[in-house]
Amino acid sequence: MSMEDYDFLFKIVLIGNAGVGKTCLVRRFTQGLFPPGQGATIGVDFMIKTVEIKGEKIKLQIWDTAGQERFRSITQSYYRSANALILTYDITCEESFRCLPEWLREIEQYANSEVITVLVGNKIDLAERREVSQQRAEEFAGTQNMYYLETSAKESDNVEKLFLDLACRLISEA
Ligand code: GDP
Ligand code: MG
């Protein structure tokens, strides 16, 4: 029997402005929790979750920025060897959407050219405060060849789908 308890291992890295909900998305997916109040930043570099798709065990190593989201302060080492990037913005925060081109420049500069990038609009439970329409985000994602998904870490909306769809795409391109 193999020593390894998985068939595939992928590294997924979350990026995007501070406050958009990256840590909450990771916590929701890996622990099933939505942390109340402040202090959502976890004190580790990555979390692990193993999922099973079509009989294959896929180990996901999910990296979250520990409060270092400012451009250029995330070093190349963070992007290095990422198989997928989850570029997150907050649908109630226009500013987080307007920063996306800067994040794409970082990706261009630091990530490997094979990387799969998913654009995520988080906090859809706050629909009444929406500042970025789904159509606008879809159009932007389309111009960049990114897959687009809207989520709520709070309500657990589309969070599982986000990571499982990504795992499926990673296997199909592995
Ligand atoms: P990060 O800086 O990108 O890691 O963002 P955090 O995960 O720390 O979340 C920032 C704030 O947004 C916290 O107050 C969270 O409670 C809140 N938040 C995160 N995700 C959601 C969501 O889906 N819905 C709502 N309403 N709030 C969220
Ligand atoms: Mg965080």
Tab-separated table of all heavy atoms in Angstrom, residues 120-168:
chain	number	residue	atom	x	y	z
A	120	VAL	N	-13.603	35.463	-7.528
A	120	VAL	CA	-14.709	35.251	-6.586
A	120	VAL	C	-15.219	36.586	-6.061
A	120	VAL	O	-14.440	37.412	-5.583
A	120	VAL	CB	-14.247	34.358	-5.407
A	120	VAL	CG1	-15.288	34.361	-4.290
A	120	VAL	CG2	-14.007	32.934	-5.884
A	121	GLY	N	-16.541	36.787	-6.195
A	121	GLY	CA	-17.202	37.934	-5.576
A	121	GLY	C	-17.862	37.446	-4.299
A	121	GLY	O	-18.831	36.690	-4.355
A	122	ASN	N	-17.334	37.837	-3.158
A	122	ASN	CA	-17.827	37.311	-1.874
A	122	ASN	C	-18.812	38.295	-1.213
A	122	ASN	O	-18.926	39.435	-1.619
A	122	ASN	CB	-16.629	37.040	-0.958
A	122	ASN	CG	-17.005	36.338	0.329
A	122	ASN	OD1	-17.828	35.405	0.324
A	122	ASN	ND2	-16.438	36.767	1.447
A	123	LYS	N	-19.519	37.789	-0.204
A	123	LYS	CA	-20.489	38.536	0.628
A	123	LYS	C	-21.824	38.749	-0.074
A	123	LYS	O	-22.483	39.775	0.110
A	123	LYS	CB	-19.914	39.881	1.133
A	123	LYS	CG	-18.557	39.759	1.840
A	123	LYS	CD	-18.212	40.976	2.670
A	123	LYS	CE	-16.771	40.884	3.171
A	123	LYS	NZ	-16.365	42.042	4.001
A	124	ILE	N	-22.268	37.764	-0.867
A	124	ILE	CA	-23.555	37.930	-1.559
A	124	ILE	C	-24.751	37.927	-0.606
A	124	ILE	O	-25.850	38.278	-1.011
A	124	ILE	CB	-23.787	36.886	-2.687
A	124	ILE	CG1	-23.585	35.460	-2.195
A	124	ILE	CG2	-22.922	37.183	-3.894
A	124	ILE	CD1	-24.083	34.422	-3.195
A	125	ASP	N	-24.518	37.561	0.647
A	125	ASP	CA	-25.613	37.701	1.631
A	125	ASP	C	-25.932	39.170	1.889
A	125	ASP	O	-27.007	39.481	2.399
A	125	ASP	CB	-25.232	36.997	2.942
A	125	ASP	CG	-23.917	37.506	3.524
A	125	ASP	OD1	-22.857	37.173	2.948
A	125	ASP	OD2	-23.925	38.241	4.506
A	126	LEU	N	-25.018	40.070	1.528
A	126	LEU	CA	-25.256	41.504	1.722
A	126	LEU	C	-25.746	42.142	0.417
A	126	LEU	O	-25.262	43.199	0.004
A	126	LEU	CB	-23.966	42.197	2.190
A	126	LEU	CG	-23.372	41.698	3.510
A	126	LEU	CD1	-22.041	42.405	3.800
A	126	LEU	CD2	-24.347	41.938	4.661
A	127	ALA	N	-26.727	41.494	-0.217
A	127	ALA	CA	-27.198	41.921	-1.539
A	127	ALA	C	-27.647	43.384	-1.555
A	127	ALA	O	-27.437	44.094	-2.550
A	127	ALA	CB	-28.341	41.018	-1.989
A	128	GLU	N	-28.241	43.842	-0.480
A	128	GLU	CA	-28.758	45.218	-0.441
A	128	GLU	C	-27.633	46.252	-0.442
A	128	GLU	O	-27.872	47.420	-0.723
A	128	GLU	CB	-29.695	45.407	0.767
A	128	GLU	CG	-29.041	45.466	2.146
A	128	GLU	CD	-28.508	44.119	2.669
A	128	GLU	OE1	-28.758	43.067	2.040
A	128	GLU	OE2	-27.820	44.131	3.712
A	129	ARG	N	-26.417	45.792	-0.168
A	129	ARG	CA	-25.283	46.725	-0.175
A	129	ARG	C	-24.376	46.517	-1.379
A	129	ARG	O	-23.238	47.015	-1.424
A	129	ARG	CB	-24.470	46.574	1.123
A	129	ARG	CG	-25.165	47.243	2.307
A	129	ARG	CD	-24.523	46.872	3.633
A	129	ARG	NE	-23.061	46.912	3.613
A	129	ARG	CZ	-22.294	46.419	4.584
A	129	ARG	NH1	-22.845	45.858	5.637
A	129	ARG	NH2	-20.991	46.491	4.502
A	130	ARG	N	-24.849	45.758	-2.373
A	130	ARG	CA	-24.023	45.431	-3.529
A	130	ARG	C	-23.590	46.690	-4.290
A	130	ARG	O	-24.401	47.564	-4.570
A	130	ARG	CB	-24.795	44.509	-4.474
A	130	ARG	CG	-23.985	44.040	-5.679
A	130	ARG	CD	-24.852	43.306	-6.680
A	130	ARG	NE	-25.052	41.894	-6.386
A	130	ARG	CZ	-24.239	40.924	-6.780
A	130	ARG	NH1	-23.159	41.197	-7.481
A	130	ARG	NH2	-24.501	39.670	-6.495
A	131	GLU	N	-22.306	46.762	-4.624
A	131	GLU	CA	-21.773	47.884	-5.421
A	131	GLU	C	-21.268	47.422	-6.785
A	131	GLU	O	-21.005	48.259	-7.651
A	131	GLU	CB	-20.625	48.576	-4.667
A	131	GLU	CG	-21.087	49.314	-3.415
A	131	GLU	CD	-19.964	50.087	-2.719
A	131	GLU	OE1	-18.792	49.987	-3.143
A	131	GLU	OE2	-20.281	50.779	-1.733
A	132	VAL	N	-21.075	46.125	-6.955
A	132	VAL	CA	-20.563	45.604	-8.226
A	132	VAL	C	-21.566	44.570	-8.750
A	132	VAL	O	-21.830	43.570	-8.087
A	132	VAL	CB	-19.182	44.926	-8.038
A	132	VAL	CG1	-18.652	44.412	-9.368
A	132	VAL	CG2	-18.190	45.887	-7.385
A	133	SER	N	-22.125	44.834	-9.923
A	133	SER	CA	-23.131	43.912	-10.458
A	133	SER	C	-22.470	42.625	-10.930
A	133	SER	O	-21.298	42.599	-11.313
A	133	SER	CB	-23.898	44.558	-11.610
A	133	SER	OG	-23.097	44.597	-12.776
A	134	GLN	N	-23.277	41.572	-10.932
A	134	GLN	CA	-22.781	40.271	-11.377
A	134	GLN	C	-22.349	40.357	-12.840
A	134	GLN	O	-21.333	39.789	-13.240
A	134	GLN	CB	-23.892	39.233	-11.189
A	134	GLN	CG	-23.447	37.828	-11.516
A	134	GLN	CD	-24.418	36.773	-10.985
A	134	GLN	OE1	-25.387	37.078	-10.294
A	134	GLN	NE2	-24.154	35.529	-11.304
A	135	GLN	N	-23.138	41.093	-13.623
A	135	GLN	CA	-22.832	41.213	-15.052
A	135	GLN	C	-21.470	41.865	-15.288
A	135	GLN	O	-20.678	41.412	-16.116
A	135	GLN	CB	-23.929	42.024	-15.743
A	135	GLN	CG	-23.773	42.015	-17.256
A	135	GLN	CD	-24.672	43.037	-17.926
A	135	GLN	OE1	-25.549	43.637	-17.280
A	135	GLN	NE2	-24.468	43.250	-19.207
A	136	ARG	N	-21.217	42.922	-14.530
A	136	ARG	CA	-19.952	43.631	-14.680
A	136	ARG	C	-18.773	42.715	-14.309
A	136	ARG	O	-17.745	42.689	-14.990
A	136	ARG	CB	-19.992	44.833	-13.741
A	136	ARG	CG	-18.965	45.871	-14.021
A	136	ARG	CD	-19.287	47.077	-13.167
A	136	ARG	NE	-18.083	47.768	-12.797
A	136	ARG	CZ	-17.899	48.398	-11.640
A	136	ARG	NH1	-18.854	48.402	-10.729
A	136	ARG	NH2	-16.780	49.014	-11.397
A	137	ALA	N	-18.946	41.969	-13.262
A	137	ALA	CA	-17.882	41.063	-12.819
A	137	ALA	C	-17.678	39.933	-13.831
A	137	ALA	O	-16.544	39.562	-14.145
A	137	ALA	CB	-18.221	40.495	-11.445
A	138	GLU	N	-18.806	39.422	-14.367
A	138	GLU	CA	-18.700	38.347	-15.363
A	138	GLU	C	-17.988	38.834	-16.618
A	138	GLU	O	-17.172	38.117	-17.204
A	138	GLU	CB	-20.086	37.821	-15.727
A	138	GLU	CG	-20.482	36.648	-14.868
A	138	GLU	CD	-21.963	36.326	-14.920
A	138	GLU	OE1	-22.699	36.954	-15.715
A	138	GLU	OE2	-22.374	35.444	-14.135
A	139	GLU	N	-18.307	40.060	-17.020
A	139	GLU	CA	-17.651	40.616	-18.209
A	139	GLU	C	-16.153	40.758	-17.982
A	139	GLU	O	-15.343	40.403	-18.830
A	139	GLU	CB	-18.265	41.979	-18.574
A	139	GLU	CG	-19.544	41.816	-19.377
A	139	GLU	CD	-20.326	43.118	-19.527
A	139	GLU	OE1	-19.757	44.205	-19.250
A	139	GLU	OE2	-21.506	43.040	-19.898
A	140	PHE	N	-15.808	41.271	-16.808
A	140	PHE	CA	-14.391	41.440	-16.488
A	140	PHE	C	-13.687	40.081	-16.477
A	140	PHE	O	-12.617	39.919	-17.070
A	140	PHE	CB	-14.220	42.142	-15.142
A	140	PHE	CG	-12.790	42.319	-14.749
A	140	PHE	CD1	-11.984	43.269	-15.367
A	140	PHE	CD2	-12.221	41.505	-13.776
A	140	PHE	CE1	-10.650	43.411	-15.018
A	140	PHE	CE2	-10.887	41.640	-13.421
A	140	PHE	CZ	-10.100	42.594	-14.038
A	141	ALA	N	-14.296	39.106	-15.816
A	141	ALA	CA	-13.703	37.770	-15.740
A	141	ALA	C	-13.519	37.194	-17.145
A	141	ALA	O	-12.488	36.592	-17.449
A	141	ALA	CB	-14.573	36.849	-14.889
A	142	GLY	N	-14.520	37.428	-17.999
A	142	GLY	CA	-14.460	36.922	-19.367
A	142	GLY	C	-13.277	37.481	-20.140
A	142	GLY	O	-12.599	36.743	-20.859
A	143	THR	N	-13.001	38.755	-19.958
A	143	THR	CA	-11.884	39.370	-20.693
A	143	THR	C	-10.551	38.795	-20.233
A	143	THR	O	-9.557	38.876	-20.943
A	143	THR	CB	-11.828	40.905	-20.521
A	143	THR	OG1	-11.544	41.198	-19.144
A	143	THR	CG2	-13.125	41.567	-20.937
A	144	GLN	N	-10.524	38.240	-19.028
A	144	GLN	CA	-9.274	37.719	-18.459
A	144	GLN	C	-9.220	36.193	-18.488
A	144	GLN	O	-8.342	35.602	-17.852
A	144	GLN	CB	-9.118	38.197	-17.005
A	144	GLN	CG	-9.185	39.697	-16.835
A	144	GLN	CD	-8.056	40.412	-17.533
A	144	GLN	OE1	-6.919	39.925	-17.531
A	144	GLN	NE2	-8.331	41.551	-18.138
A	145	ASN	N	-10.204	35.581	-19.136
A	145	ASN	CA	-10.267	34.112	-19.151
A	145	ASN	C	-10.340	33.488	-17.766
A	145	ASN	O	-9.762	32.433	-17.521
A	145	ASN	CB	-9.062	33.529	-19.891
A	145	ASN	CG	-9.356	33.404	-21.363
A	145	ASN	OD1	-10.442	32.955	-21.740
A	145	ASN	ND2	-8.405	33.814	-22.173
A	146	MET	N	-11.044	34.165	-16.883
A	146	MET	CA	-11.196	33.622	-15.537
A	146	MET	C	-12.615	33.091	-15.382
A	146	MET	O	-13.567	33.643	-15.916
A	146	MET	CB	-10.988	34.711	-14.467
A	146	MET	CG	-9.574	35.188	-14.324
A	146	MET	SD	-9.395	36.364	-12.959
A	146	MET	CE	-10.189	37.826	-13.610
A	147	TYR	N	-12.712	32.055	-14.606
A	147	TYR	CA	-13.994	31.517	-14.201
A	147	TYR	C	-14.502	32.446	-13.093
A	147	TYR	O	-13.713	32.965	-12.311
A	147	TYR	CB	-13.695	30.105	-13.721
A	147	TYR	CG	-14.750	29.317	-13.047
A	147	TYR	CD1	-15.884	28.886	-13.727
A	147	TYR	CD2	-14.576	28.925	-11.711
A	147	TYR	CE1	-16.820	28.098	-13.075
A	147	TYR	CE2	-15.511	28.139	-11.074
A	147	TYR	CZ	-16.635	27.741	-11.756
A	147	TYR	OH	-17.549	26.966	-11.114
A	148	TYR	N	-15.825	32.720	-13.033
A	148	TYR	CA	-16.351	33.636	-12.011
A	148	TYR	C	-17.425	32.976	-11.164
A	148	TYR	O	-18.306	32.285	-11.688
A	148	TYR	CB	-16.928	34.897	-12.664
A	148	TYR	CG	-17.498	35.875	-11.655
A	148	TYR	CD1	-16.667	36.475	-10.724
A	148	TYR	CD2	-18.856	36.176	-11.622
A	148	TYR	CE1	-17.178	37.360	-9.777
A	148	TYR	CE2	-19.377	37.068	-10.691
A	148	TYR	CZ	-18.522	37.645	-9.763
A	148	TYR	OH	-19.028	38.514	-8.825
A	149	LEU	N	-17.356	33.210	-9.869
A	149	LEU	CA	-18.336	32.641	-8.948
A	149	LEU	C	-18.600	33.642	-7.834
A	149	LEU	O	-17.687	34.345	-7.394
A	149	LEU	CB	-17.747	31.354	-8.353
A	149	LEU	CG	-18.700	30.347	-7.750
A	149	LEU	CD1	-19.637	29.777	-8.816
A	149	LEU	CD2	-17.909	29.209	-7.115
A	150	GLU	N	-19.864	33.711	-7.386
A	150	GLU	CA	-20.202	34.574	-6.249
A	150	GLU	C	-20.477	33.698	-5.033
A	150	GLU	O	-21.126	32.657	-5.149
A	150	GLU	CB	-21.418	35.452	-6.593
A	150	GLU	CG	-21.108	36.376	-7.752
A	150	GLU	CD	-22.046	37.570	-7.866
A	150	GLU	OE1	-23.201	37.485	-7.410
A	150	GLU	OE2	-21.588	38.603	-8.414
A	151	THR	N	-19.986	34.134	-3.896
A	151	THR	CA	-20.049	33.310	-2.684
A	151	THR	C	-20.518	34.112	-1.474
A	151	THR	O	-20.479	35.346	-1.466
A	151	THR	CB	-18.644	32.762	-2.315
A	151	THR	OG1	-17.765	33.872	-2.116
A	151	THR	CG2	-18.085	31.845	-3.376
A	152	SER	N	-20.917	33.380	-0.465
A	152	SER	CA	-21.053	33.958	0.875
A	152	SER	C	-20.390	33.008	1.858
A	152	SER	O	-20.873	31.885	2.058
A	152	SER	CB	-22.523	34.145	1.258
A	152	SER	OG	-22.612	34.431	2.641
A	153	ALA	N	-19.297	33.463	2.433
A	153	ALA	CA	-18.643	32.652	3.475
A	153	ALA	C	-19.567	32.578	4.680
A	153	ALA	O	-19.617	31.565	5.381
A	153	ALA	CB	-17.303	33.272	3.861
A	154	LYS	N	-20.320	33.637	4.886
A	154	LYS	CA	-21.205	33.697	6.047
A	154	LYS	C	-22.334	32.677	5.949
A	154	LYS	O	-22.580	31.924	6.883
A	154	LYS	CB	-21.782	35.101	6.187
A	154	LYS	CG	-22.618	35.270	7.424
A	154	LYS	CD	-23.083	36.696	7.601
A	154	LYS	CE	-23.884	36.823	8.887
A	154	LYS	NZ	-24.444	38.176	9.021
A	155	GLU	N	-22.996	32.652	4.796
A	155	GLU	CA	-24.148	31.758	4.607
A	155	GLU	C	-23.739	30.414	3.999
A	155	GLU	O	-24.602	29.600	3.677
A	155	GLU	CB	-25.183	32.421	3.691
A	155	GLU	CG	-25.687	33.788	4.162
A	155	GLU	CD	-26.554	33.703	5.408
A	155	GLU	OE1	-27.184	32.650	5.618
A	155	GLU	OE2	-26.578	34.679	6.175
A	156	SER	N	-22.470	30.226	3.781
A	156	SER	CA	-21.958	29.003	3.162
A	156	SER	C	-22.507	28.805	1.741
A	156	SER	O	-22.726	27.684	1.303
A	156	SER	CB	-22.316	27.784	4.032
A	156	SER	OG	-21.517	26.691	3.651
A	157	ASP	N	-22.686	29.883	1.055
A	157	ASP	CA	-23.241	29.844	-0.291
A	157	ASP	C	-22.114	29.699	-1.311
A	157	ASP	O	-21.232	30.566	-1.380
A	157	ASP	CB	-23.987	31.177	-0.521
A	157	ASP	CG	-25.242	30.994	-1.344
A	157	ASP	OD1	-25.458	29.881	-1.849
A	157	ASP	OD2	-25.991	31.979	-1.468
A	158	ASN	N	-22.147	28.609	-2.086
A	158	ASN	CA	-21.171	28.376	-3.167
A	158	ASN	C	-19.730	28.151	-2.717
A	158	ASN	O	-18.825	28.112	-3.552
A	158	ASN	CB	-21.176	29.544	-4.186
A	158	ASN	CG	-22.176	29.305	-5.302
A	158	ASN	OD1	-22.679	28.194	-5.463
A	158	ASN	ND2	-22.453	30.341	-6.078
A	159	VAL	N	-19.500	28.023	-1.424
A	159	VAL	CA	-18.117	27.880	-0.954
A	159	VAL	C	-17.575	26.487	-1.294
A	159	VAL	O	-16.479	26.344	-1.840
A	159	VAL	CB	-18.005	28.160	0.562
A	159	VAL	CG1	-16.574	27.949	1.046
A	159	VAL	CG2	-18.469	29.593	0.862
A	160	GLU	N	-18.380	25.477	-0.968
A	160	GLU	CA	-18.014	24.108	-1.314
A	160	GLU	C	-17.827	23.983	-2.835
A	160	GLU	O	-16.874	23.394	-3.327
A	160	GLU	CB	-19.137	23.180	-0.839
A	160	GLU	CG	-18.788	21.744	-0.840
A	160	GLU	CD	-18.344	21.260	0.542
A	160	GLU	OE1	-17.922	22.069	1.378
A	160	GLU	OE2	-18.428	20.060	0.747
A	161	LYS	N	-18.779	24.568	-3.569
A	161	LYS	CA	-18.738	24.527	-5.041
A	161	LYS	C	-17.448	25.153	-5.568
A	161	LYS	O	-16.826	24.636	-6.491
A	161	LYS	CB	-19.963	25.234	-5.623
A	161	LYS	CG	-19.990	25.267	-7.153
A	161	LYS	CD	-21.296	25.873	-7.663
A	161	LYS	CE	-21.240	26.182	-9.159
A	161	LYS	NZ	-20.978	24.982	-9.973
A	162	LEU	N	-17.083	26.271	-4.989
A	162	LEU	CA	-15.856	26.949	-5.414
A	162	LEU	C	-14.654	26.005	-5.366
A	162	LEU	O	-13.941	25.828	-6.355
A	162	LEU	CB	-15.611	28.165	-4.497
A	162	LEU	CG	-14.223	28.793	-4.536
A	162	LEU	CD1	-13.926	29.385	-5.909
A	162	LEU	CD2	-14.114	29.871	-3.451
A	163	PHE	N	-14.449	25.369	-4.228
A	163	PHE	CA	-13.265	24.530	-4.072
A	163	PHE	C	-13.397	23.210	-4.839
A	163	PHE	O	-12.411	22.723	-5.393
A	163	PHE	CB	-12.986	24.288	-2.588
A	163	PHE	CG	-12.428	25.506	-1.893
A	163	PHE	CD1	-13.257	26.382	-1.198
A	163	PHE	CD2	-11.074	25.792	-1.955
A	163	PHE	CE1	-12.743	27.508	-0.558
A	163	PHE	CE2	-10.546	26.918	-1.322
A	163	PHE	CZ	-11.387	27.779	-0.623
A	164	LEU	N	-14.604	22.658	-4.881
A	164	LEU	CA	-14.766	21.382	-5.594
A	164	LEU	C	-14.648	21.570	-7.106
A	164	LEU	O	-14.016	20.767	-7.788
A	164	LEU	CB	-16.099	20.719	-5.223
A	164	LEU	CG	-16.194	20.230	-3.770
A	164	LEU	CD1	-17.533	19.552	-3.514
A	164	LEU	CD2	-15.046	19.290	-3.412
A	165	ASP	N	-15.240	22.637	-7.638
A	165	ASP	CA	-15.097	22.916	-9.072
A	165	ASP	C	-13.630	23.126	-9.429
A	165	ASP	O	-13.152	22.671	-10.474
A	165	ASP	CB	-15.887	24.176	-9.470
A	165	ASP	CG	-17.384	23.927	-9.588
A	165	ASP	OD1	-17.818	22.787	-9.328
A	165	ASP	OD2	-18.115	24.878	-9.939
A	166	LEU	N	-12.951	23.828	-8.542
A	166	LEU	CA	-11.533	24.094	-8.781
A	166	LEU	C	-10.749	22.775	-8.767
A	166	LEU	O	-9.910	22.530	-9.645
A	166	LEU	CB	-11.028	25.055	-7.701
A	166	LEU	CG	-9.713	25.770	-7.927
A	166	LEU	CD1	-9.622	26.358	-9.327
A	166	LEU	CD2	-9.567	26.871	-6.882
A	167	ALA	N	-11.044	21.925	-7.801
A	167	ALA	CA	-10.366	20.623	-7.720
A	167	ALA	C	-10.618	19.814	-8.999
A	167	ALA	O	-9.695	19.203	-9.551
A	167	ALA	CB	-10.841	19.860	-6.488
A	168	CYS	N	-11.868	19.852	-9.488
A	168	CYS	CA	-12.192	19.147	-10.739
A	168	CYS	C	-11.363	19.663	-11.897
A	168	CYS	O	-10.832	18.888	-12.697
A	168	CYS	CB	-13.665	19.357	-11.092
A	168	CYS	SG	-14.749	18.209	-10.288
